[in-house]
Amino acid sequence: LKMHDSLHDSLEEKDNSMVISEEESVYLASKKEKEKELLKVELEYQKNLFTYALIATLFFAAIVGIIILLYLSLRKANKKLGDLNAMKDKFFTIIAHDLKNPFNVLLGYSEILTDKDWELSVEEKEDYIKVIATTSKRTYNLLENLLYWARSQTNRIIISPQTIDIAGTLEETMALLSAYASQKGISFNVNIPQPAEAFIDPEILKLVARNLI
């Protein structure tokens, strides 16, 4: 009987141990599952955090890039504006200088023609009148240059190309400048083989020729 009780107790203790072991296994399995879930959540959080940090960095870099581009554009615009102002000042200086000389010629010869103290022959008067006429034409051309430049600054230039005689156009332009050139001891002629035609705006060709001469 004692042996039976002892065997019964031993089996009961073994059953209890097996129950405890099963419970521990279930607990450990549940614990591992929770740890996996926590790790998964942590990894997801880290992933989202990295994504948000990357987006914020790219956004910040884009803002900085835009600011740099705006700064460079503004700097370029200021430089261009400075260059245009310098060009404008130089242009007006040249125009003022070129206008001064023709007006001195016009005033000088006009005073001679209107001053009764000067005894001029008919030929001399005709020569002076020709000089005045030629100088007036040249001054008008200078004013046209100024007007052309002003239109170019406001993009209002209308180009009208056509087939023209190059030599004839250049000779016409040089004839207007011949009196002024002769005063400086300059002579020029047009030596272009005929026929010489070009498809160009004649006013632009005249402008280029006047500025070169």
Side-chain angles (χ1 to χ4, degrees), residues 148 157-170 173 192 196-209 212:
Y148 184 89
I157 296 177
I158 299 176
I159 299 176
S160 303
Q162 54 187 280
T163 302
I164 63 171
D165 176 24
I166 298 177
T169 303
L170 293 178
T173 303
I192 300 177
E197 294 183 342
F199 187 71
I200 189 174
D201 188 329
E203 296 305 318
I204 292 180
L205 180 59
K206 291 176 184 178
L207 175 67
V208 172
L212 289 176

Side-chain angles (χ1 to χ4, degrees), residues 78 80 124 158:
N78 287 335
K80 186 176 181 180
E124 288 176 329
I158 299 176

Side-chain angles (χ1 to χ4, degrees), residues 10 36 42 69-70 86 102 122 133 141 148 189 204:
S10 176
K36 286 182 180 179
E42 180 68 20
L69 287 176
L70 289 175
V122 175
N141 286 331
Y148 184 89
N189 54 33
I204 292 180

Side-chain angles (χ1 to χ4, degrees), residues 55-70:
I55 293 174
T57 302
L58 292 175
F59 178 76
F60 178 75
I63 294 297
V64 172
I66 291 173
I67 292 174
I68 292 174
L69 287 176
L70 289 175

Side-chain angles (χ1 to χ4, degrees), residues 71-129:
Y71 170 76
L72 292 176
S73 298
L74 182 61
R75 186 176 178 182
K76 185 177 180 180
N78 287 335
K79 184 179 183 302
K80 186 176 181 180
L81 181 61
D83 292 341
L84 287 175
N85 285 332
M87 185 186 300
K88 179 191 68 176
D89 294 340
K90 183 177 181 180
F91 182 81
F92 279 118
T93 300
I94 294 173
I95 288 293
H97 179 268
D98 286 348
L99 284 175
K100 183 179 179 181
N101 289 334
F103 274 109
N104 285 335
V105 172
L106 291 174
L107 292 173
Y109 282 101
S110 297
E111 288 177 0
I112 293 174
L113 288 172
T114 56
D115 192 344
K116 295 181 179 180
D117 293 335
W118 286 84
E119 295 182 0
L120 301 174
S121 65
V122 175
E123 292 78 8
E124 288 176 329
K125 288 182 180 180
E126 289 178 352
D127 290 340
Y128 290 166
I129 291 173

